[in-house]
Amino acid sequence: RFSRFFMAKADREAMLPPSLRRFSGIGLLAFALLLFWLIKRWRRANTRRVTEEATVEEDVAPQIALKSGFRRIPVRQKVTLVTNDTVFDSNALSSLDSSAASAASQPLSILPNALAPLLEIARVCDLYVITQCASDATEQAVRDALRDAGVVDAGLNDIKVVFCETEAGRGSIARQIEPTMHVDSAAVIVDGLRPFVPSLVGVKTPYNAHSLEAAAAAGRGGGVLAVVDDLSAHFMSKTAEEASA
């Protein structure tokens, strides 16, 4: 039946004068061009609408600015911060790792010079908190300490509190996140991340000061490494640091 239909159609077309057959072909071509033009116009209008909506959303988005007294914090950028010896005392973390005590019986405390900068970073940045530890009790203690200190309320997303068991794990997590800034106390990690992270902050301890300063002096290409005594010393002005003390 289909073959008879197509044969009949071909016979009908053959019966048309040559001028009408040419007109029919031109009409089909014109229709195809019109359809192409309409589709192109629709796509252009749709792209313009999406762009305009995105611009409006950016315009109405709340403007985030650093509070008075804070500095060197990359607003709206990704920041990875390792808490070992920057936010929590590493001895307290190790004590939790090696004991059978629960987080409730051995609560962690945030270092005094770390709280104010940490709250501000959580407020204005896309913050990822990394802790090197080896037990579930320590992980829970870290989460509880951050929540109790108001860091989650300030803006830290609880799912961005992550953990690893090795020093190398710190660098691996940071590389996957691709932050604008990484804060750490391990010289080998901040030095190793320099080719990948634009800004690095190394927090000194009695055990790492020499290696951090050597890494900074080496002048390895890549990100800028700042070696500091604590978070307040780097992220707060002197007057603000003294006021918060």
Side-chain angles (χ1 to χ4, degrees), residues 11-215:
D11 292 341
R12 288 195 299 271
E13 289 180 351
M15 292 171 63
L16 292 173
S19 59
L20 288 179
R21 288 202 297 270
R22 286 197 297 273
F23 179 78
S24 176
I26 293 172
L28 288 174
L29 178 61
F31 176 77
L33 290 173
L34 177 62
L35 183 62
F36 174 77
W37 178 79
L38 288 173
I39 292 173
K40 188 174 181 180
R41 185 178 179 183
W42 176 82
R43 286 181 176 174
R44 187 179 301 164
N46 192 52
T47 302
R48 187 185 300 113
R49 179 181 59 80
V50 171
T51 304
E52 289 173 352
E53 288 176 356
T55 303
V56 170
E57 288 179 2
E58 289 178 1
D59 291 340
V60 300
Q63 297 298 313
I64 298 178
L66 289 177
K67 292 180 180 177
S68 176
F70 291 94
R71 58 184 182 175
R72 301 184 181 126
I73 297 176
V75 176
R76 291 184 179 274
Q77 301 299 310
K78 288 182 182 178
V79 173
T80 48
L81 188 150
V82 174
T83 64
N84 302 69
D85 282 321
T86 65
V87 173
F88 301 115
D89 188 298
S90 61
N91 292 326
L93 292 171
S94 298
S95 177
L96 271 169
D97 279 340
S98 59
S99 72
S102 66
S105 62
Q106 253 185 297
L108 279 173
S109 297
I110 292 179
L111 296 172
N113 289 333
L115 181 56
L118 181 61
L119 290 171
E120 185 66 1
I121 293 170
R123 187 181 74 85
V124 303
C125 298
D126 183 9
L127 175 61
Y128 293 76
V129 171
I130 305 167
T131 302
Q132 181 185 340
C133 62
S135 72
D136 292 340
T138 308
E139 291 186 13
Q140 190 58 51
V142 167
R143 293 186 185 278
D144 290 345
L146 294 171
R147 191 175 296 107
D148 293 344
V151 183
V152 174
D153 289 337
L156 173 64
N157 189 331
D158 194 51
I159 66 172
K160 295 179 180 179
V161 179
V162 297
F163 302 89
C164 60
E165 293 189 3
T166 64
E167 199 171 74
R170 305 181 187 184
S172 177
I173 292 171
R175 284 195 61 181
Q176 292 178 43
I177 295 171
E178 298 181 339
T180 296
M181 173 182 286
H182 179 76
V183 182
D184 209 315
S185 59
V188 66
I189 299 303
V190 291
D191 192 43
L193 288 173
R194 290 180 83 170
F196 313 103
V197 181
S199 178
L200 300 117
V201 179
V203 179
K204 290 191 291 187
T205 72
Y207 314 102
N208 71 359
H210 177 72
S211 54
L212 274 176
E213 290 168 354

Side-chain angles (χ1 to χ4, degrees), residues 1-15:
R1 193 166 61 182
F2 287 110
S3 61
R4 287 199 302 271
F5 171 79
F6 285 114
M7 288 177 63
K9 182 180 179 183
D11 292 341
R12 288 195 299 271
E13 289 180 351
M15 292 171 63

